[in-house]
Amino acid sequence: MQHRDRFYINGQWEAPSGEERLEVLNPATEGLCASVPRASSEDVEKALSAAQAALPAWAATSAQRRYELLMAAADEMQRRYDELCDVHVTTLGSPIQTTGAIHVDGPIEGMRYYAERAFKMEQTERKEGVVISHEPIGVCSLINPWNYPLSQLIGKLAPALAAGCTVVAKPAEQTPLQDFIMAEIFDSIGLPPGVFNLVTGVGPEIGPVMAGHPYVDMVSFTGSTTAGANVAENAAPGIKRVCQELGGKSPLVITEEADLNAAVRLCVENVMANTGQTCDALTRMLVPRKQLQQAAKLAGEIAKEQIVGDPGDSSTTMGPLVSRRQKDLVVGFIQSGLEDGATLIEGGVEAPEGFSKGYYIRPTIFSDVRNDMKIAREEIFGPVLCIIAYDTLEEAIEIANDTAYGLSSAVYARDVDEALPIARRLKAGQCYIQGAEFSFDAPFGGYKQSGNGREWGDEGLLEYVETKAILGA
Ligand code: NAD
């Protein structure tokens, strides 16, 4: 059990202004596993003041110094690897078997990736009579969700610090603990006071201050489309930059000549990872109509391979959903799929056998899904795959693009030559072809209601940067 009593503000462990606390439940046991202070506006203002005061000196540090500090932070993350894994197991319900690979390795590498990019801030570009340079945008509010809590934090924090920005971070209510470990890490490596500040609290309560306070220059938000819109509204009067990473309903187009086994396996494993709580999961699988039955059968068999269980057990491949609310939402979606006439191939609304406690759910596969059904239109955020049949490739592309979202997409075809022209026509920020893997060099972000910013890659750094042109130089 972890009880945290203080925020990290201005290089100190600061007592909260009030007595209220947030309780964190272990989704596998439904028991209390941690508690953290519940920030008021006053606490957030204190953190923002510290970030504002620290900004001039931090923005003026050399890229070399920022590089060294970020690399030192990455080394400390590596040293505290097991603790970082543990908090994902207890608060998110992530299986111990995959937690390091899914939740911790990437953030450590991401920290190093942006450490190296600090040097980009010292590069100027000279054109005819014009010098173009880059400066940190200023004080940034970082608001994160619970599904990849460390990864989401580092995807914002590492480029912000590399650019020379100062930050106030707020983790999701369900998963605050990794942020406290990061605060301890920054404290131990001697990051100057006020550069990284941490508050914990309830989004709708402190979000308006984090987005709208005069000291804030930029807000980076990851979460639901509704909350993202609210952040943008609160930031608008102050003309603050807002980077939004929101929801998704990403398609995988499988062509007739693709290796169906490989494509279906890729899709099912992708959707089941992190118990389906992944914003860019390939939750709509589009298959040629004549292969629908075979694809559905294969998907059902692959889904059965999942071992649902206690996240602390090393054989478990799928833990519980993060919360009771999330479980109720996902069960509601499965119910609506049944009512709308989709064919249930595997899974369903009942809890997996033997689980009377914990927010467990069955890996679920629906076939005969039409793209106008609720389960194909709305983000489920659980281990539920929709298989949709198409008659022509043209129709497949139309169905793939017929969504309010546009975060990610994928194509599995005969080969890259067949996949590439299809990939170019999908309206999404990313497209993975032939089972390609995540890359830090690939900017990540959405079209349409999936957001308007980019994380990772050089583009991820530019979110935290102002461009200055000096003419006549
Ligand atoms: P959520 O929007 O409820 O919460 C996310 C964060 O925003 C939390 O820290 C919460 O406290 C805060 N928040 C809530 N309301 C707020 C407000 N009005 N103002 C400011 N902050 C507020 O979302 P969630 O249910 O925790 O997360 C799941 C959603 O996040 C899914 O829709 C998922 O697709 C999305 N997501 C997107 C990405 C991406 O990179 N595109 C990554 C992960 C999750």
Side-chain angles (χ1 to χ4, degrees), residues 143-147 152 170-173 203-204 207 221-224 227 230-231 245-248 279 325 379 381 407 444:
I143 304 176
N144 278 309
W146 43 262
N147 59 336
Q152 296 297 339
K170 188 200 94 61
E173 293 83 328
F221 173 86
T222 300
S224 60
N230 191 248
V231 165
E245 300 287 351
L246 310 174
C279 48
R325 174 178 174 268
E379 185 179 48
F381 232 52
L407 188 56
F444 178 87

Side-chain angles (χ1 to χ4, degrees), residues 74 77-78 81 84 104-113 154:
M77 289 167 80
Q78 193 69 55
Y81 191 88
L84 286 168
V104 184
D105 292 345
I108 296 174
E109 204 181 327
M111 191 66 109
R112 297 200 168 111
Y113 181 90
I154 303 305

Side-chain angles (χ1 to χ4, degrees), residues 390-407:
Y390 69 83
D391 290 310
T392 64
L393 208 45
E394 211 44 46
E395 191 197 1
I397 293 168
E398 209 171 287
I399 296 171
N401 288 335
D402 177 16
T403 167
Y405 295 109
L407 188 56

Side-chain angles (χ1 to χ4, degrees), residues 235-286:
I239 324 293
K240 299 170 197 310
R241 186 180 298 172
V242 180
C243 174
Q244 295 160 316
E245 300 287 351
L246 310 174
K249 194 74 196 176
S250 302
L252 163 66
V253 176
I254 303 177
T255 70
E256 217 173 304
E257 290 187 59
D259 175 343
L260 191 67
N261 281 297
V264 172
R265 176 163 292 281
L266 170 95
C267 194
V268 176
E269 289 179 353
N270 171 287
V271 170
M272 300 307 162
N274 210 34
T275 319
Q277 303 163 117
T278 304
C279 48
D280 62 343
L282 301 169
T283 49
R284 290 184 300 144
M285 183 165 98
L286 275 56

Side-chain angles (χ1 to χ4, degrees), residues 266-435:
L266 170 95
C267 194
V268 176
E269 289 179 353
N270 171 287
V271 170
M272 300 307 162
N274 210 34
T275 319
Q277 303 163 117
T278 304
C279 48
D280 62 343
L282 301 169
T283 49
R284 290 184 300 144
M285 183 165 98
L286 275 56
V287 295
R289 191 171 303 280
K290 59 182 161 197
Q291 290 169 342
L292 180 66
Q293 283 209 337
Q294 199 191 344
K297 185 166 173 283
L298 276 170
E301 283 163 9
I302 297 165
K304 276 205 191 105
E305 292 172 11
Q306 291 291 335
I307 303 169
V308 179
D310 178 352
D313 184 330
S314 61
S315 64
T316 296
T317 62
M318 185 186 284
L321 290 161
V322 72
S323 61
R324 162 77 50 206
R325 174 178 174 268
Q326 198 61 24
K327 179 166 178 182
D328 291 346
L329 279 171
V330 175
V331 168
F333 274 111
I334 298 174
Q335 190 61 45
S336 104
L338 295 170
E339 285 160 13
D340 286 348
T343 306
L344 185 68
I345 302 292
E346 181 58 38
V349 289
E350 306 84 19
E353 248 167 73
F355 291 97
S356 54
K357 266 224 167 356
Y359 312 126
Y360 290 97
I361 187 113
R362 290 168 189 258
T364 296
I365 309 283
F366 276 115
S367 186
D368 299 307
V369 177
R370 285 192 329 269
N371 203 46
D372 62 357
M373 290 179 183
K374 187 175 169 185
I375 52 171
R377 299 216 75 75
E378 295 183 26
E379 185 179 48
I380 298 176
F381 232 52
V384 182
L385 172 64
C386 296
I387 310 181
I388 304 173
Y390 69 83
D391 290 310
T392 64
L393 208 45
E394 211 44 46
E395 191 197 1
I397 293 168
E398 209 171 287
I399 296 171
N401 288 335
D402 177 16
T403 167
Y405 295 109
L407 188 56
S408 191
S409 61
V411 180
Y412 220 114
R414 182 190 60 237
D415 52 24
V416 171
D417 288 343
E418 194 199 5
L420 206 51
I422 304 169
R424 291 197 199 286
R425 294 182 59 194
L426 298 181
K427 302 257 178 280
Q430 290 199 325
C431 187
Y432 289 78
I433 60 176
Q434 304 302 94

